[in-house]
Structure formats: C-alpha cells, structure tokens
Amino acid sequence: SHNNATMQATTTTTTAAPNDAPLIFRRNTIPGLFLFKNDSPIEATGLAFNSIGRGVVIMSTIFLGPALLKLAAVAANENCYAGIADDDDDDDAAVTESEAECINNGGGRIYGMRSTSLLTNIGVFSGLFSAILTPFFGSIVDHTPHRKALGRGSALLLSLIKGIEICLNQSTWFVVSVLQVLNFVLWNAYLCVAYAYTAELSMVPN
C-alpha cells in the first residue's frame, strides 16, 4: 500500500511537471533546428521568426508602392481623356490643349488628387492615425494583460491585408490604397508588442 502511494505520488509529480515548468516543457516541443543554444530562451526563437515575418511584410509593401502609382496613373489618364470626350462644346484648339495637359501633367486627377500624390497621401493619413492610436496601443501593452491578444490580432489583420493585395488590379487599386493606411496603423500596433517582448528578453526563464 505504501509502495502504491509512492508510485501514485511520483506519477502525479511527473504529470504536473509541464505545468510547473511550462517554459522548459514548451522548449522541449520545439525542434532543435530552430533553437540557438541549449540554454537560450524560447522567446529568442520567436523573435527570430518574427523578424522573418516582418521582412516579408516590408518587402511586399516596397513592391506594392510602384504598382499602385502605375495603376493610379492609368486611371487618372483615362479619367482625363474621358473628360475631354464628354465635353462636346470645346473647339479643336481647346481639345488639343486639354490633351496636352493630360500628357504633361501625369494624366490629370483621380479621386480629387494627382496620381503622383497617392503614396504621399497614404503616408499622411497613416501617420495621422498612427499618431492618434499608437499611445492607446502602448497603454494596452504596458498596463493590461492583453498584450499577446493585441499582437495576434494585428498580425492576423496584417496577413489578411497582404492576402487582399494579391488581388491588386486596375479595378481594386484604390481599395488596396485605402487598406495601406490600415496596414501601417496595424504595423505600428504589432511593433509595440514585438518591441515590448524584445526589451524583456533574458537568459533567465523567469
């Protein structure tokens, strides 16, 4: 009876070990290929993968900018020439002057702006909304238990936006441009979470 009780106690202790040492248990579930050292914290592996994901987001945004400018220029050019065709009262000289203006001024305007100003306007609005919302993101990270939820939510939405960007074409460029404003706001929210974990990285598991 005493031996049975001892075996039960040993089994209970062994079963409870993962809960008593969750970091060690989680470390043992990660393939050694993705670990830096035997004594390195698992957060280091997480931050390494985080850097890879951030690089993908940055590169996709870099390639997206020129594509948006080109599509916006085509739309503005079509809009400019459509305005000339709809104005039947203009004489030939006025039409020729309007055509020259379309050619020389980058195709006129689209949605009230010149196509060359698209990326600038995206930067202005994303900077404005980021300046307003980033302090709230920082408060959530520093003073609430929802830091990880904010990181997961912003990462999920960023991934969805990047998926939508695959559908970029002449009919969706403006929607994708608007999403870029949300993209940069979510990017700042995600960085708040990532940098918070980076500052707390330590060789001591606790």
Side-chain angles (χ1 to χ4, degrees), residues 67-88:
L68 287 175
L69 284 177
K70 183 175 181 178
L71 292 173
V74 172
N77 193 49
E78 292 176 352
N79 189 51
C80 187
Y81 281 102
I84 297 175
D86 292 340
D87 194 353
D88 296 329

Side-chain angles (χ1 to χ4, degrees), residues 75-155:
N77 193 49
E78 292 176 352
N79 189 51
C80 187
Y81 281 102
I84 297 175
D86 292 340
D87 194 353
D88 296 329
D89 296 332
D90 288 341
D91 54 21
D92 292 340
V95 171
T96 303
E97 183 179 353
S98 298
E99 289 179 347
E101 183 179 356
C102 288
I103 296 172
N104 296 330
N105 293 331
R109 295 177 179 271
I110 186 72
Y111 295 108
M113 63 180 175
R114 295 201 178 277
S115 60
T116 52
S117 301
L118 177 63
L119 296 185
T120 302
N121 290 334
I122 291 175
V124 168
F125 284 104
S126 61
L128 176 63
F129 289 120
S130 295
I132 294 173
L133 296 175
T134 299
F136 293 98
F137 298 148
S139 298
I140 294 174
V141 169
D142 292 335
H143 303 292
T144 72
H146 305 300
R147 176 195 296 182
K148 186 177 291 185
L150 177 62
R152 288 174 174 171
S154 58

